[in-house]
Amino acid sequence: MSRRHVSVHRTAITDALAELSGRETVPLARARGRVLVADVAALAPMPAFDNSAMDGFAVRAAEVVIDSPLPVATRIFAGDTGPGPLLPGTVAAIMTGAPLPAGADAVVPVEQSDERADTVSFSAAPDVGAFIRRAAADVAAGTLVVPGGTVLAPRHLAALAATGTAAVDVFRRPRVAVISTGSELVSPGAPLAFGQVYESNSVILAALCTAHGAQVTYADRAGDDGDFEQKLAAAVATADVVLTSGGVSMGEREPVRDLLSDTGWFGPVAMQPGGPQGLTRWRDTPVISLPGNPVSVMVSFEVLVRSALRSVSGLPEVQPTSATLVADVTSIAGKTQYLRGCLQADGTVEVVGGAGSHLVATAANSNVLIEIDSAAEYLPAGQEVPTWPLTQ
Ligand code: AMP
Ligand code: MG
């Protein structure tokens, strides 16, 4: 069977998932972490009106003479909607955020004042414009507040709310189901009998999917002898795409391959680790089948699935960084090799652990995948290689 090139299988997954792309409108309270579809402009200017930056007195600057009392004609509070104009020769007590009365051109803070009975005198003379927040000084109505494509952080939500936006159009989060297969698997926390293996693929796949814009609506385990179809039926009832692990190689009990082989593609991808892969469609739902070894699962997701999920979620592509190998590397010609690596701040990268795709605990010490071209068999120390950041 001929091997599929990594980029061919990655494109096939991207194409299969393209139909999941969608948009929805969500209130700001539920928008953190979501990806904004399009630019959002201010509906209202910020500030919407000239107002006081301090608790103090609205004055005509030219009328203030130090220690000469002026009458306090009125008091203006935040939320007052119709303060009258400031009468010549008077001042208005004004609170922070309250609208500046017409005619006033400065605010004297309360700390520089001495209010008695109906008059106030000042210990300092203000400049014109002092302690006034001018309308639209932050942003004018119709001006861009948050650009499309932004992953909304709390500060963006504040800017949107402050300029009058209540809800935003964001990319839909695709619903993903995860099924791990293997009769040997046991949940961590339970006792481990001889021959059994703690199950780690569902937790890493769920976390990876969530990190790249998806929501995990189903996660379960199937044995190798009978219940995979039933679990898959439950999965497609809740999800837009299913990720499976294990059961796709050439052994005698390969439940994923056995059930799905007539519904799409199974075969080796020319990569190491992560060779055996599948991409099928069951009950009108795309099913991406990854191998079972835990390191193969991590690498397969990062190399083959991540970009497809990010694309439907509206997230930008992850970019590689070039790094310098600190030691010689040998590789297998004909397969793109993805070594776990530790990228340092000085731009050098060191291979972490061996090639074994069961070395899941060792892989936890890596922060990148080092991509070794399929044509290469030997790369000397000092060679520049592309590295791909692992999901944080
Ligand atoms: P398979 O691809 O099903 O033949 O599995 C390959 C290897 O990965 C076997 O050693 C399995 O025990 C192991 N494995 C498969 N699935 C998981 C899982 N969900 N968690 C941990 N190890 C697994
Ligand atoms: Mg298995």
Side-chain angles (χ1 to χ4, degrees):
M1 195 182 300
S2 74
R3 295 197 192 108
R4 241 186 196 185
H5 192 274
V6 171
S7 63
V8 172
H9 195 55
R10 185 194 293 125
T11 302
I13 291 176
T14 303
D15 292 347
L17 265 51
E19 67 187 32
L20 309 188
S21 178
R23 293 145 188 228
E24 62 184 336
T25 304
V26 296
L28 292 186
R30 289 200 287 110
R32 193 191 74 80
R34 305 299 299 272
V35 184
L36 198 60
V37 171
D39 293 356
V40 178
L43 296 177
M46 176 65 201
F49 51 88
D50 290 356
N51 67 88
S52 178
M54 299 291 278
D55 295 323
F57 295 87
V59 301
R60 286 183 169 79
E63 294 178 353
V64 175
V65 176
I66 290 174
D67 291 338
S68 297
L70 287 166
V72 180
T74 185
R75 309 190 86 77
I76 309 171
F77 295 88
D80 284 355
T81 52
L86 187 68
L87 300 177
T90 72
V91 304
I94 191 165
M95 313 305 144
T96 305
L100 197 74
D105 60 9
V107 170
V108 182
V110 74
E111 293 82 352
Q112 297 171 3
S113 70
D114 180 12
E115 188 176 14
R116 292 167 197 221
D118 295 335
T119 66
V120 63
S121 52
F122 300 110
S123 58
D127 294 329
V128 169
F131 298 111
I132 295 174
R133 300 162 170 169
R134 291 292 176 198
D138 190 17
V139 67
T143 304
L144 177 68
V145 177
V146 184
T150 300
V151 180
L152 293 171
R155 64 186 182 280
H156 301 120
L157 304 180
L160 292 164
T163 52
T165 291
V168 281
D169 287 340
V170 293
F171 286 92
R172 246 189 90 232
R173 300 170 68 206
R175 297 173 305 161
V176 181
V178 174
I179 306 175
S180 301
T181 68
S183 296
E184 72 279 27
L185 303 176
V186 177
S187 296
L192 194 67
F194 181 76
Q196 294 183 320
V197 172
Y198 280 131
E199 202 279 297
S200 61
N201 289 345
S202 63
V203 75
I204 188 175
L205 286 175
L208 286 165
C209 289
T210 308
H212 297 289
Q215 51 185 323
V216 176
T217 52
Y218 180 95
D220 204 358
R221 217 167 59 211
D224 288 329
D225 44 14
D227 61 348
F228 176 63
E229 182 167 2
Q230 175 211 327
K231 299 284 166 98
L232 190 58
V236 299
T238 73
D240 305 311
V241 55
V242 182
L243 287 184
T244 67
S245 81
V248 292
S249 34
M250 303 304 248
E252 288 179 21
R253 289 159 103 205
E254 305 287 3
V256 176
R257 198 178 182 124
D258 291 349
L259 179 71
L260 297 174
S261 58
D262 293 338
T263 68
W265 181 87
F266 280 93
V269 170
M271 65 190 278
Q272 212 284 316
Q277 301 282 341
L279 177 60
T280 56
R281 207 174 169 84
W282 193 75
R283 296 197 183 160
D284 217 24
T285 304
V287 181
I288 301 167
S289 295
L290 311 178
N293 273 302
V295 176
S296 307
V297 163
M298 178 183 89
V299 172
S300 301
F301 182 96
E302 301 277 24
V303 171
L304 299 169
V305 184
R306 175 173 70 183
S307 56
L309 270 192
R310 291 182 70 85
S311 156
V312 291
S313 307
L315 293 166
E317 285 205 45
V318 173
Q319 297 298 330
T321 307
S322 183
T324 312
L325 287 175
V326 295
D328 301 356
V329 165
T330 52
S331 191
I332 321 137
K335 291 183 184 181
T336 308
Q337 194 170 180
Y338 294 94
L339 299 168
R340 276 66 66 209
C342 195
L343 178 65
Q344 306 290 348
D346 65 1
T348 59
V349 67
E350 192 175 345
V351 174
V352 172
S357 46
H358 61 297
L359 302 172
V360 60
T362 306
N365 300 317
S366 58
N367 59 6
V368 292
L369 292 177
I370 306 170
E371 181 178 316
I372 308 292
D373 189 86
S374 62
E377 285 177 86
Y378 170 77
L379 297 178
Q383 175 85 38
E384 290 286 304
V385 284
T387 67
W388 298 88
L390 288 168
T391 301
Q392 288 304 303

